[in-house]
Amino acid sequence: MANVAIIGAQWGDEGKGKIVDLFTHDADVIVRYQGGNNAGHTLVVNGKKTVLHLVPSGALHAEKLCVIGNGVVVDPEVLIDEIRALKAQGHLANDEQIRISEQAHVIMPYHKLIDQARERLRGEGMIGTTGRGIGPAYEDKIARVGIRFVDLLEEDTFREKLERNIQEKNFYLKAILKEKALDFDQIHDSYCQFRDQLKGYVTNTGLLLDQKIRAGKRVLFEGAQGTLLDVDHGTYPYVTSSSTITGGACSGSGVGPQHIQQVIGISKAYTTRVGSGPFPTELHGPEGETLRREGAEFGATTGRSRRCGWFDAVGVRHAVRMNGMTGIALTKLDVLTGFKKIPICTAYRYEGKTIDEFPASSKVMQGAKPVYEEMDGWDQTLDNVRNFSDLPLSAQKYVKRIEEVIGSEIILVSVGPGREQTILLKNPFEK
Ligand code: GDP
Ligand code: IMO
Ligand code: MG
């Protein structure tokens, strides 16, 4: 019986939400372990769309335990709204279904303000963050001044930490970022209200997960963002501030690596990216427009239009190695219908040299030109295909070629946003 991690293999928005929702059927516990409400995970069930930012994507299944692990940074107001909206739809009927780590850090108003003000000041050089305060919240965690749920629950600890932080942040906000100072009482009072609404969910989730695993329950780890946005292994500095890879699933949930047997990378059949940063296969012309239109490539969190390009095997190969992927779920194959030729980027060229491995240098990455091989396209719509052998031959060849160039088995092909629009080749829970 396996526990499975679902990890973004590109720059996020690969369709993790859909795949987590699908595999929740076979799991007992679903854990978010990093990121925050910068994530937007879309689930389409019976034609109805739900976008989740903090609550794990298992929430639409009754009786599955949804855990927000210690590695997540939580905006309490957003979480309260999300739980309320899910309850209004008849989900999360049992309050026991959702648990928040006492060690998870809390996103404060100054984190959001600092994030947004810095981006404004950066102008052209902006990272293109989601403006949700993610980076500044992780900065405080690493600087050892962050406020965790366990701190929020202790009246005196919370007051003391907030007083100290507000003093420092207000100085920074006014002197450096030219923003207005924040009011201690206002923040204190609103966060005490958030605390009262959330305290029933807060617990030692590392211990809880250990108990579940010992009892033979199956755990699904839900990654947010993607490997190429990882703070260590992504296109630094155009990355998010957390460890998005499999290693992050252990530190961000408090579960040892021996308990993760299967690692499934999620990748689109092409590539997208939101925000700034290098993107060698980006298409600036009509083909990029077609991908954006057919793939409805608009951000689930900020609504920004996503940059689109061809499949980049250099990036996904890097993700396969970095995460120890045991398989890949290839999503949005249906979006490629209608292209006469579909290029796959197998390497980069930079200053006359061929590069097979993902470069660490921002300069090299910015200047890298894709080396393409061209595959034949197909005209048939794929939305209703449920067996691999029913895919047009050129679509089958495209999937098989991707498998070869990334060096990992494709265990699932997704042909539409709906739960049922899926060709499952191997179930990772049955390994
Ligand atoms: P996540 O952040 O990785 O969960 O991905 P998002 O939800 O941000 O973005 C993926 C988008 O693609 C969502 O709108 C999904 O409903 C949609 N989607 C997922 N799989 C497929 C697919 O196979 N085909 C199509 N056309 N859309 C898909
Ligand atoms: P999901 O989980 C795509 C991007 C932002 C920006 C960079 C840093 O839905 O795949 P941040 O707010 O994290 O400091 O922004 O990371 N980014 C995402 N891009 N999908 C996401 O999440 C993302 N979360 C952050 O656009 O470029
Ligand atoms: Mg998303």
Side-chain angles (χ1 to χ4, degrees):
M1 233 168 8
N3 296 321
V4 179
I6 299 289
I7 313 270
Q10 299 169 310
W11 279 290
D13 301 327
E14 300 91 347
K16 298 175 293 293
K18 165 175 169 164
I19 306 302
V20 170
D21 167 68
L22 188 76
F23 286 147
T24 293
H25 178 265
D26 299 300
D28 302 293
V29 185
I30 301 85
V31 195
R32 272 281 308 270
Y33 56 84
Q34 45 71 230
N37 61 315
N38 48 349
H41 296 180
T42 313
L43 288 52
V44 179
V45 180
N46 300 327
K48 190 170 173 300
K49 180 166 142 176
T50 306
V51 181
L52 297 175
H53 302 285
L54 276 167
V55 173
S57 298
L60 302 196
H61 296 251
E63 302 308 322
K64 305 282 176 167
L65 178 62
C66 293
V67 173
I68 297 176
N70 57 278
V72 178
V73 286
V74 180
D75 185 327
E77 195 172 7
V78 172
L79 180 58
I80 289 165
D81 281 350
E82 196 161 294
I83 293 174
R84 191 183 296 134
L86 282 163
K87 280 180 178 286
Q89 307 275 337
H91 304 296
L92 300 179
N94 178 358
D95 274 336
E96 299 281 316
Q97 210 188 321
I98 182 151
R99 299 285 99 178
I100 307 166
S101 168
E102 57 191 359
Q103 291 165 305
H105 281 245
V106 180
I107 296 182
M108 304 299 295
Y110 42 82
H111 294 137
K112 292 182 264 191
L113 201 54
I114 290 171
D115 189 2
Q116 292 160 14
R118 274 192 197 149
E119 284 285 276
R120 271 198 300 275
L121 289 178
R122 280 191 187 113
E124 289 274 289
M126 65 170 9
I127 292 172
T129 73
T130 58
R132 304 297 194 259
I134 306 298
Y138 278 116
E139 285 171 34
D140 277 2
K141 172 174 174 171
I142 302 302
R144 297 162 293 187
V145 296
I147 296 172
R148 302 166 301 163
F149 271 94
V150 67
D151 304 320
L152 185 61
L153 293 187
E154 295 170 4
E155 174 58 34
D156 46 348
T157 310
F158 176 52
R159 176 171 280 277
E160 202 180 296
K161 285 196 150 198
L162 185 62
E163 264 169 4
R164 206 177 328 130
N165 283 353
I166 285 273
Q167 206 180 4
E168 209 175 297
K169 304 296 179 191
N170 274 347
F171 176 77
Y172 179 64
L173 280 166
K174 283 191 297 185
I176 311 288
L177 300 178
K178 311 293 176 214
E179 292 287 327
K180 286 205 187 84
L182 289 166
D183 181 59
F184 172 89
D185 288 330
Q186 206 181 347
I187 297 178
H188 180 265
D189 293 354
S190 56
Y191 273 66
C192 285
Q193 283 178 25
F194 300 150
R195 174 196 62 205
D196 293 342
Q197 291 178 69
L198 290 175
K199 66 183 177 200
Y201 300 113
V202 177
T203 191
N204 180 344
T205 51
L207 180 65
L208 177 66
L209 288 170
D210 187 61
Q211 288 162 348
K212 294 291 176 192
I213 291 169
R214 282 173 195 275
K217 302 292 182 197
R218 288 176 296 184
V219 182
L220 180 49
F221 297 86
E222 176 179 3
Q225 290 79 54
T227 304
L228 307 184
L229 286 170
D230 182 271
V231 68
D232 285 282
H233 303 287
T235 44
Y236 192 87
Y238 298 99
V239 291
T240 191
S241 299
S242 65
S243 180
T244 63
I245 61 168
T246 319
C250 295
S251 59
S253 66
V255 170
Q258 76 277 23
H259 295 303
I260 304 177
Q261 290 82 14
Q262 293 290 313
V263 182
I264 304 303
I266 315 299
S267 170
K268 281 177 182 160
Y270 51 97
T271 312
T272 64
R273 159 158 222 178
V274 207
S276 322
F279 180 176
T281 64
E282 182 169 15
L283 293 165
H284 297 281
E287 288 169 316
E289 274 305 321
T290 306
L291 286 174
R292 187 171 306 115
R293 189 183 61 245
E294 297 300 317
E297 296 296 357
F298 298 92
T301 296
T302 56
R304 290 178 290 177
S305 69
R306 295 174 180 153
R307 300 156 64 192
C308 297
W310 299 124
F311 186 83
D312 184 344
V314 183
V316 177
R317 211 157 50 218
H318 171 74
V320 164
R321 176 166 62 81
M322 205 59 62
N323 290 288
M325 304 289 194
T326 56
I328 292 281
L330 192 71
T331 61
K332 306 192 94 159
L333 187 66
D334 53 302
V335 175
L336 293 177
T337 289
F339 285 103
K340 289 274 167 290
K341 294 281 177 189
I342 309 174
I344 296 176
C345 165
T346 54
Y348 302 147
R349 290 285 292 172
Y350 181 77
E351 291 187 340
K353 292 196 188 75
T354 301
I355 303 174
D356 295 309
E357 295 297 332
F358 204 68
S361 158
S362 227
K363 189 174 136 203
V364 175
M365 196 58 192
Q366 291 283 5
K369 297 276 173 273
V371 176
Y372 284 125
E373 66 178 55
E374 261 189 355
M375 305 290 294
D376 289 331
W378 58 89
D379 286 324
Q380 300 89 322
T381 55
L382 308 184
D383 317 27
N384 295 316
V385 177
R386 299 291 176 268
N387 295 302
F388 191 78
S389 55
D390 293 335
L391 285 172
L393 209 55
S394 43
Q396 293 186 29
K397 281 188 182 158
Y398 182 73
V399 173
K400 286 288 161 200
R401 185 61 189 144
I402 285 184
E403 205 165 50
E404 280 169 13
V405 292
I406 64 172
S408 183
E409 189 182 7
I410 290 176
I411 60 129
L412 181 154
V413 178
S414 174
V415 291
R419 204 187 254 172
E420 69 294 347
Q421 291 177 298
T422 307
I423 301 169
L424 183 60
L425 301 166
K426 247 183 208 176
N427 185 334
F429 279 101
E430 285 167 8
K431 291 248 169 117

